[in-house]
Amino acid sequence: MPSIVNDAGLRLELLANDERAEAMLAHGGSFNPISDRLWTELRKSDQWTMIVDVGANYGEMILSENLEPGVRALAFEPNDRVASCLRTSITNSANDIEVLEFAVGESTGEAAFFVDPRWSGTSTATERNRPDGAHEIRVPVVRLDEFLLERGI
């Protein structure tokens, strides 16, 4: 399994044969400078106590730095293979992040999720955005507001 160490010194585990992982390797861990800049500015804007990352993928945003003690974080990633990489990366970090293998949607239940075997970041629960060559799996879906309320968040 390939991996990369990001600017925060955290090792991100990646899938072999994923073009998105290959792009991350080629660009030193991140290839989206606009999103990186927005994330950095948001993180500086306030004392955070909770972070929710929907579609966390390999965790390049939520693991872009070590979180302050006491910050609770949830990472939603319905692709079980990518979620496995994310769990390993989190275990190797000092961050308190819970990985949840759910899609987030407008109603709680179960739905089709279309896994793109070539580029993990284009996997989707939306049929009309299904990438060519994607295979369908069934995943649990939660409504974010209901999920957070049930947990007292």
Side-chain angles (χ1 to χ4, degrees), residues 5-12 39-40 43-44 46-48 51 59-73 89-97:
V5 176
N6 66 14
D7 291 342
L10 301 174
R11 179 173 301 282
L12 302 181
W39 176 249
T40 299
R43 292 280 300 126
K44 288 184 205 172
D46 203 353
Q47 179 86 25
W48 291 72
I51 296 172
E60 60 268 23
M61 294 305 223
I62 204 161
L63 287 170
S64 64
E65 60 186 273
N66 283 303
L67 302 176
E68 294 82 15
V71 173
R72 187 169 173 199
S89 299
I90 290 167
T91 299
N92 294 331
S93 77
N95 291 297
D96 181 19
I97 302 170

Side-chain angles (χ1 to χ4, degrees), residues 39-60:
W39 176 249
T40 299
E41 291 305 313
L42 280 171
R43 292 280 300 126
K44 288 184 205 172
S45 68
D46 203 353
Q47 179 86 25
W48 291 72
T49 58
M50 172 58 113
I51 296 172
V52 178
D53 188 350
V54 175
N57 205 278
Y58 293 119
E60 60 268 23

Side-chain angles (χ1 to χ4, degrees), residues 2-153:
S3 64
I4 191 164
V5 176
N6 66 14
D7 291 342
L10 301 174
R11 179 173 301 282
L12 302 181
E13 300 298 324
L14 309 169
L15 290 173
N17 303 314
D18 176 20
E19 292 174 19
R20 186 171 189 280
E22 291 168 14
M24 288 176 65
L25 288 166
H27 292 90
S30 180
F31 52 89
N32 194 335
I34 294 170
S35 292
D36 292 344
R37 196 166 41 250
L38 287 170
W39 176 249
T40 299
E41 291 305 313
L42 280 171
R43 292 280 300 126
K44 288 184 205 172
S45 68
D46 203 353
Q47 179 86 25
W48 291 72
T49 58
M50 172 58 113
I51 296 172
V52 178
D53 188 350
V54 175
N57 205 278
Y58 293 119
E60 60 268 23
M61 294 305 223
I62 204 161
L63 287 170
S64 64
E65 60 186 273
N66 283 303
L67 302 176
E68 294 82 15
V71 173
R72 187 169 173 199
L74 305 176
F76 288 88
E77 180 49 58
N79 182 335
D80 59 341
R81 292 184 63 228
V82 174
S84 177
C85 292
L86 179 59
R87 275 194 178 85
T88 301
S89 299
I90 290 167
T91 299
N92 294 331
S93 77
N95 291 297
D96 181 19
I97 302 170
E98 182 179 0
V99 177
L100 301 152
E101 289 187 44
F102 299 106
V104 173
E106 59 188 37
S107 61
T108 297
E110 185 181 88
F113 187 74
F114 306 102
V115 177
D116 187 340
R118 291 181 312 272
W119 187 278
S120 61
T122 58
S123 298
T124 182
T126 307
E127 174 80 40
R128 72 179 178 277
N129 295 332
R130 180 183 188 156
D132 291 338
H135 64 275
E136 181 179 330
I137 61 173
R138 302 295 294 178
V139 297
V141 179
V142 295
R143 238 181 83 150
L144 188 57
D145 60 338
E146 290 175 356
F147 183 86
L148 296 174
L149 283 172
E150 285 174 9
R151 289 186 162 212
I153 301 170

